[in-house]
């Protein structure tokens, strides 16, 4: 009888999670999101549903993908997306992208030595906008916990305006552990906190040219205590006037701009 070391429960749970994700599919919708997915050779594409009008607009992308679309009446656009979604007559069933290991993407991935970490940011529209900003400013990845974060959805993809196909969106089991791993790789982690004494400009300058990880929390709760403790420094975005608050996607865009001016 063969004997072996029993895998720890967390390893088993992680493997099960990866297998479950591999089986799951999502529906992308809207002309822009569907076009970019069709043109992405890394995206596993399963089913394409179009109206005749949408096919006319996506003809080249459809031909390049090699898919055979299902042409439907606009009044009978029967795909499992939220009622009221602005699909523009185009929907594509796909599997999530596999971007690979955190270490590989963050150390040798494309783009600047710059990443964004999201602590329980669950609004898909905010995450979609952050992915778009991350791509614009050349970040290597947007990183979020596997649970309590925005999953890949059609709404997220539409807000990202194509960035979901090109900007790595990495899910990790434990955000604090991923942050420690990034520090071991040489990243300086700057947590955004509206009440911090240090300004974002000062924190970026203090990184001394090292790789930077910008850590942002959900609107309202902000960063969790463990996340705050794991950051190298907490910094605030200076503001004028009495309001002094940005939503998380706008704060991410401002922070990315500041980090690229180091």
């Amino acid at each position: 009888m063969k004997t072996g070391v029993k895998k720890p429960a967390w390893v088993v749970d992680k493997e099960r999670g990866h297998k479950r994700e591999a089986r799951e599919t999502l529906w992308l919708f809207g002309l822009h999101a569907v076009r970019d997915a069709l043109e992405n050779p890394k995206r596993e594409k399963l089913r394409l549903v179009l109206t005749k009008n949408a096919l006319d607009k996506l003809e080249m992308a459809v031909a390049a993908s090699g898919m055979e679309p299902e042409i439907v009446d606009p009044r009978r656009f029967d795909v499992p997306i939220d009622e009221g979604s602005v699909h523009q007559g185009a929907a594509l069933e796909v599997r999530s992208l596999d971007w690979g290991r955190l270490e590989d993407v963050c150390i040798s991935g494309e783009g600047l030595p710059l990443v964004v970490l999201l602590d329980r940011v669950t609004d898909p529209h905010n995450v979609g906008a952050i992915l778009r900003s991350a791509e614009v400013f050349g970040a290597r990845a947007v990183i979020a916990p596997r649970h309590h974060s925005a999953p890949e959805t059609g709404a997220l993809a539409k807000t990202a305006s194509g960035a979901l196909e090109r900007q790595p969106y990495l899910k990790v089991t434990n955000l604090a552990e991923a942050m420690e791993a990034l520090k071991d790789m040489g990243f300086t982690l700057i947590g955004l906190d509206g009440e911090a004494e240090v300004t974002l400009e000062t924190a970026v300058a203090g990184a001394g040219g090292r790789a930077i990880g910008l850590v942002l929390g959900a609107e309202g709760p902000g960063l969790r205590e463990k996340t705050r403790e794991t950051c190298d420094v907490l910094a605030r975005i200076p503001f004028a006037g009495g309001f002094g608050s940005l939503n998380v996607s706008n704060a991410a865009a401002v922070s990315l701009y500041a980090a690229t001016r180091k």
Side-chain angles (χ1 to χ4, degrees):
M1 181 177 177
K2 295 178 68 175
T3 61
V5 178
K6 186 178 179 180
K7 293 181 180 179
W10 70 268
V11 173
V12 174
D13 289 343
K14 184 176 181 180
E15 290 176 348
R16 286 175 179 169
H18 288 165
K19 289 178 181 177
R20 184 170 59 252
E21 289 177 359
R23 293 193 300 269
E24 291 176 350
T25 67
L26 62 141
W27 282 88
L28 307 179
F29 58 83
L31 293 173
H32 200 146
V34 170
R35 177 185 288 112
D36 285 333
L38 288 172
E39 293 176 345
N40 183 0
K42 296 180 180 179
R43 176 71 83 171
E44 185 179 351
K45 300 169 274 286
L46 305 172
R47 183 182 170 203
L48 177 61
V49 180
L50 301 172
T51 62
K52 178 62 171 65
N53 185 52
L55 176 61
D56 291 341
K57 296 177 180 179
L58 296 174
E59 189 173 2
M60 291 181 65
V62 173
S65 73
M67 294 194 74
E68 188 66 36
E70 301 172 31
I71 308 302
V72 299
D73 188 300
R75 295 165 295 184
R76 297 177 180 175
F77 199 80
D78 187 20
V79 296
I81 59 177
D82 290 340
E83 188 175 350
S85 297
V86 184
H87 54 71
Q88 300 174 292
L92 176 64
E93 185 182 16
V94 300
R95 296 197 192 280
S96 295
L97 289 163
D98 180 4
W99 290 105
R101 298 167 66 245
L102 176 75
E103 293 82 359
D104 295 336
V105 174
C106 296
I107 291 178
S108 57
E110 296 180 5
L112 301 173
L114 172 65
V115 299
V116 178
L117 299 104
L118 304 179
D119 186 14
R120 296 197 173 196
V121 179
T122 57
D123 186 328
H125 298 93
N126 275 333
V127 175
I130 291 168
L131 285 167
R132 190 173 183 180
S133 294
E135 181 186 22
V136 168
F137 288 104
R140 284 186 182 163
V142 174
I143 302 162
R146 197 173 303 280
H147 303 294
H148 306 294
S149 65
E152 288 188 44
T153 62
L156 187 154
K158 198 167 193 302
T159 307
S161 191
L164 184 62
E165 303 302 319
R166 300 178 293 270
Q167 178 65 49
Y169 182 36
L170 303 180
K171 296 296 189 70
V172 295
T173 303
N174 184 293
L175 187 64
E177 289 179 1
M179 292 171 68
E180 292 288 0
L182 285 168
K183 290 202 285 189
D184 290 342
M185 297 177 214
F187 279 78
T188 296
L189 301 185
I190 302 174
L192 272 292
D193 183 340
E195 297 182 358
E197 295 184 4
V198 177
T199 65
L200 178 58
E201 182 180 13
T202 300
V204 169
R210 294 187 296 274
I212 287 177
L214 299 167
V215 191
L216 297 99
E219 292 175 39
L223 299 174
R224 288 175 295 163
E225 189 62 31
K226 180 65 174 176
T227 307
R228 292 166 58 89
E229 292 173 355
T230 312
C231 291
D232 291 298
V233 61
L234 298 177
R236 59 181 168 82
I237 298 172
F239 59 86
F243 186 63
S245 178
L246 294 171
N247 75 17
V248 65
S249 61
N250 288 335
V254 172
S255 303
L256 284 160
Y257 174 72
T260 56
R261 289 172 59 83
K262 61 181 178 178

